[in-house]
Amino acid sequence: RVATRLRPRVSESFVWRTEVAVGGPGDLRAWDVHLSGPANIGIDIETRLHDIQALQRRLELKFRDSGVDRVVLVVAATRHNRTVIREHRAALLSTLPLDTAEVLAALRAGEAPWANGLVLI
């Protein structure tokens, strides 16, 4: 459901694919959504946040190993997730400096965000 809320907010200049492999043979990791076109953007979707440190490490490794230009973490906008993000936003800034409005404005315009970002939707 989270992906279906995101899709109408992304320009048609991007090609939308799901479950795209991160690395080569044997690497079982995948992006939930991969946008290609003006830029290659790997998107991970979380419906309920738990271990923020583990999530951050996972995103950083996928970014390193996949060759995408940008990473976007899309999170379901639930009360729980908003609380977790509010409590841990400072720690996530090094990995995901942009917030929802900045990321969605770029994707709507058919451009890559200027940095990685976090979207609550």
Side-chain angles (χ1 to χ4, degrees):
R1 283 182 260 165
V2 177
T4 60
R5 291 194 300 265
L6 176 65
R7 191 165 193 165
R9 294 174 168 91
V10 175
S11 167
E12 291 183 8
S13 62
F14 286 105
V15 175
W16 177 288
R17 296 182 330 175
T18 57
E19 294 302 320
V20 174
V22 168
D27 191 340
L28 301 178
R29 297 172 298 165
W31 293 110
D32 294 320
V33 175
H34 181 272
L35 301 177
S36 57
N40 288 311
I41 301 171
I43 298 176
D44 257 5
I45 298 172
E46 294 289 330
T47 55
R48 185 166 175 87
L49 296 173
H50 298 283
D51 185 341
I52 294 298
Q53 287 181 329
L55 172 64
Q56 190 169 12
R57 280 191 304 270
R58 187 182 81 223
L59 287 174
E60 289 172 353
L61 289 172
K62 286 172 80 171
F63 184 47
R64 181 196 71 191
D65 297 343
S66 68
V68 296
D69 302 309
R70 295 286 180 261
V71 170
V72 174
L73 175 64
V74 177
V75 178
T78 64
R79 182 180 306 154
H80 168 81
N81 289 342
R82 287 178 192 277
T83 300
V84 171
I85 288 171
R86 192 170 36 254
E87 292 173 358
H88 297 281
R89 187 63 182 119
L92 288 168
L93 285 174
S94 63
T95 304
L96 304 166
L98 299 184
D99 284 320
T100 302
E102 296 169 295
V103 173
L104 291 181
L107 296 179
R108 196 175 298 117
E111 303 169 354
W114 64 267
N116 297 335
L118 170 68
V119 172
L120 274 166
I121 196 166

